[in-house]
Amino acid sequence: MPRNISYSEKYEDEIYEYRHVILPSEVAKICPKGRLMSETEWRQLGVQQSRGWEHYAIHKPEPHILLFRRVRGTDPLTGLAPAKLASKPGLVQQQTVTAR
């Protein structure tokens, strides 16, 4: 399976850092349809990134583009968010969202 997966630069807001990953068509064909993937699933597809990233949304017009986020300041080795942000009211730890 070709591994020409493309990774965006990171971008951020006040709480999260984001990135998107573009899968080649042959990899996109084997992705689960209509649901978010666990870390194990996206890693099995060949997506490589540090720990703590969450596949948080599906962009229906372009399902081959995976949208990821993690709390700013997350330790890339452990995947743990900073304690001061992990307990912040309104912070969503795991969210199932489908973008339209």
Side-chain angles (χ1 to χ4, degrees), residues 24-96:
S25 60
E26 58 272 10
V27 176
K29 288 176 187 175
I30 61 173
C31 282
K33 305 293 185 246
R35 68 173 179 80
L36 300 175
M37 288 185 278
S38 68
E39 182 173 347
T40 300
E41 290 174 311
W42 53 259
R43 286 192 186 279
Q44 287 174 343
L45 292 174
V47 175
Q48 298 178 358
Q49 48 190 356
S50 56
R51 301 188 60 85
W53 290 99
E54 166 192 22
H55 179 213
Y56 77 97
I58 298 168
H59 181 55
K60 286 186 178 184
E62 298 177 303
H64 65 288
I65 300 177
L66 306 181
L67 304 172
F68 290 94
R69 72 177 179 190
R70 70 178 173 189
V71 174
R72 288 178 58 192
T74 294
D75 184 314
L77 298 177
T78 66
L80 297 175
K84 65 182 179 183
L85 288 177
S87 61
K88 186 175 181 175
L91 179 66
V92 178
Q93 292 296 329
Q94 188 76 358
Q95 182 178 2
T96 302

